[in-house]
Amino acid sequence: MDNSQPDVRVRFAPSPTGYLHIGGARTAIFNWLFARKNNGKFFLRIEDTDVVRSSQEVVDAIFESLKWLGLNWDDEPRYQSQRFDVYRRIAEELVQKRKAYHCYCGQEDEPEENADEGERNKCQCYLLTVKEKEELDRRGISRAIRFWVPDGTTIIDDQVYGSMEFNNSEIENFVILRSDKIPTYHLAVVVDDHDMGITHIIRGEDHISNTPKHILLYHALGWEPPKYAHVPLILGEDKKRLSKRHGATSVMEYMDMGILPDAMVNYLALLGWSPGDDREIFRIPELIEAFSINGISRKSAVFDPKKLEWVNSEHLKIYPTEELLQWVLPSLRESHLITDFDAERKVPYLIRVLDLFKNRMKTTKDLAKYGRYFFKDPERYDEKALQRYWEGAETKDRLQRLKDRLNAQEEFTADKIEEVTRTLASELGVSAAKLIHPMRILLTGFSVSPGLFEMMEVLGRDTCLRRVERGLKIL
């Protein structure tokens, strides 16, 4: 059954005053999933009205973050800084309709949430006569434009929090155009959302206090408001709003840590949204199919880096190895384990290595960190492993015999290596572990690795025999 909604148009509208953080990324993901689920449009709008704090560097970083997450947008990005004339025209139209008025008092900052009634409505420029305004204009007093909040109440029919009613007397006559002719957030966002035909606005619950103002502007302009869905905030493990004190908050920091984009989208989508069951691992097409605004919780979600790492490890297991290789190669290069030549000419070997090792990985950097032995001979042997598994001359004699037998084999496959190893152990009257563990130490330097026999097949006969010979001499 098709439950999609017709003509869905949503947007993600970051301010380029800081890099894309976890909360913003989740908002973008919710919008993108909703659009793709309903065969709608997902637009990107850069809200750069703060010309002093906005920068192209941050804009580029936001684009890079969204592209890394796979959140492709429709049409070209829209920039608010290119639409100042539109906002100014709309603001003056509201003045002409007596829905707004010129303010000369210079009190353009938003009042505090806990300000009393006198503080919230301290501007009384609406009482100025025509002559008083003309005199102020003649003297060159700069003027802003304030929206005139009508009496009554404003209702938000929110798709997450339900119906919420606000008394308009608690909303000050807010500025929509500053004295420097730069629009405020309230005016710009309403004008843009209308002009872009936005049907649904999915954004953080910290915007709930702004929404009554926006609905009032819609009504004053004779426009139909979109549907609103406010999503709960993301908290740190101390149940306080997520910030730098909780660790990395920028999306690109997690890319640098070795998190897969699919895993990041999967994890963030489930922060504050549920598909209705206990399932936790989703491929992107499955997320699109399952997503619904009805599944968004009113309860704030807690960001857990360890849970993200687990989700990432599960995605590493199911990710097609050939595609996963592109995410692993950079760390192999940075660690000087492979060259550009290797990356191009040794792809079959790299895929075999990754296929064997990826079930043990938590991040895309783990092969470079814990699987160096696939690319370089061990530089040392773990002391604890030697104390536990190396029995001196007896171990050396056993491994020498195993080396000789493996060298005599025509086949060097996992099955044949296991057969030879277990046969020799039986002849020597010892458990196969007496050969397996010391052999692993000589080949890797450690006591843990993927399955020994499969690993030996991937490493190849020459590498294995060379490392055993070298290790026997050293030890």
Side-chain angles (χ1 to χ4, degrees), residues 381-399 430-449 452 472 475:
Y381 303 100
D382 183 72
E383 286 295 335
K384 290 184 178 179
L386 290 174
Q387 290 173 11
R388 183 174 182 182
Y389 298 116
W390 197 268
E391 300 175 349
E394 291 183 358
T395 297
K396 182 176 181 180
D397 178 64
R398 293 169 190 154
L399 292 189
V430 298
S431 68
K434 295 288 186 180
L435 297 173
I436 291 172
H437 293 308
M439 176 65 80
R440 178 180 282 112
I441 294 172
L442 294 188
L443 295 179
T444 69
F446 304 105
S447 61
V448 294
S449 74
L452 176 67
L472 291 178
L475 297 175

Side-chain angles (χ1 to χ4, degrees), residues 117-232:
E117 186 69 16
E119 287 294 312
R120 298 188 70 86
N121 295 289
K122 54 190 174 182
C123 172
Q124 295 187 342
C125 293
Y126 58 88
L127 297 176
L128 292 171
T129 65
V130 173
K131 286 186 178 182
E132 287 173 329
K133 293 178 184 177
E134 290 175 349
E135 175 61 19
L136 290 170
D137 289 338
R138 187 188 65 78
R139 288 164 49 192
I141 304 299
S142 59
R143 65 187 189 185
I145 294 180
R146 283 183 182 271
F147 181 76
W148 201 329
V149 177
D151 295 333
T153 59
T154 299
I155 296 176
I156 304 174
D157 187 15
D158 193 84
Q159 295 194 314
V160 175
Y161 286 89
S163 181
M164 295 180 283
E165 184 173 339
F166 296 81
N167 193 325
N168 291 355
S169 65
E170 298 178 359
I171 304 173
E172 71 145 1
N173 292 336
F174 54 93
V175 175
I176 57 175
L177 191 71
R178 299 184 186 280
S179 56
D180 58 7
K181 306 307 178 187
I182 292 179
T184 63
Y185 167 77
H186 305 302
L187 178 65
V189 72
V190 167
V191 172
D192 282 345
D193 285 337
H194 170 75
D195 289 354
M196 296 170 70
I198 299 303
T199 60
H200 297 74
I201 293 178
I202 305 173
R203 60 187 182 188
E205 68 172 10
D206 51 332
H207 282 288
I208 288 179
S209 61
N210 292 326
T211 303
K213 299 177 182 179
H214 299 172
I215 291 176
L216 288 171
L217 279 169
Y218 271 102
H219 291 161
L221 291 164
W223 301 338
E224 181 70 22
K227 295 179 181 178
Y228 289 92
H230 292 91
V231 301

Side-chain angles (χ1 to χ4, degrees), residues 401-412 416 420 461 465:
R401 293 193 185 195
L402 180 56
K403 171 181 174 292
D404 292 341
R405 291 203 181 183
L406 290 173
N407 191 33
Q409 299 300 314
E410 291 186 9
E411 292 183 52
F412 201 76
K416 176 56 69 174
V420 170
R461 183 199 308 268
L465 298 184

Side-chain angles (χ1 to χ4, degrees), residues 353 356-357 360 373-374 440 444 448-455:
V353 168
L356 185 62
F357 198 79
R360 309 177 68 86
Y373 48 82
F374 282 107
R440 178 180 282 112
T444 69
V448 294
S449 74
L452 176 67
F453 309 123
E454 292 78 9
M455 181 183 68

Side-chain angles (χ1 to χ4, degrees), residues 26 30 205 231-237 239-242 267-273 297-304:
R26 187 192 61 172
F30 281 175
E205 68 172 10
V231 301
L233 300 179
I234 298 177
L235 307 178
E237 293 180 277
K239 304 300 174 66
K240 295 182 179 179
R241 187 167 181 172
L242 192 67
Y267 178 71
L268 290 180
L270 291 174
L271 275 186
W273 170 78
S297 170
R298 298 182 185 182
K299 184 180 179 181
S300 293
V302 175
F303 185 83
D304 182 354

Side-chain angles (χ1 to χ4, degrees), residues 32-83:
W32 185 83
L33 290 173
F34 184 65
R36 298 297 175 250
K37 168 66 177 290
N38 293 286
N39 298 313
K41 297 287 188 180
F42 171 73
F43 299 106
L44 178 60
R45 184 172 73 225
I46 304 300
E47 299 194 337
D48 55 349
T49 55
D50 188 342
V51 293
V52 175
R53 296 174 58 215
S54 300
S55 73
Q56 188 58 47
E57 176 189 350
V58 174
V59 171
D60 293 341
I62 290 172
F63 288 167
E64 183 182 358
S65 298
L66 293 173
K67 288 176 181 176
W68 177 71
L69 290 169
L71 306 184
N72 56 310
W73 54 87
D74 299 294
D75 297 343
E76 292 297 317
R78 177 176 293 212
Y79 294 81
Q80 287 189 333
S81 60
Q82 298 174 1
R83 289 171 50 79

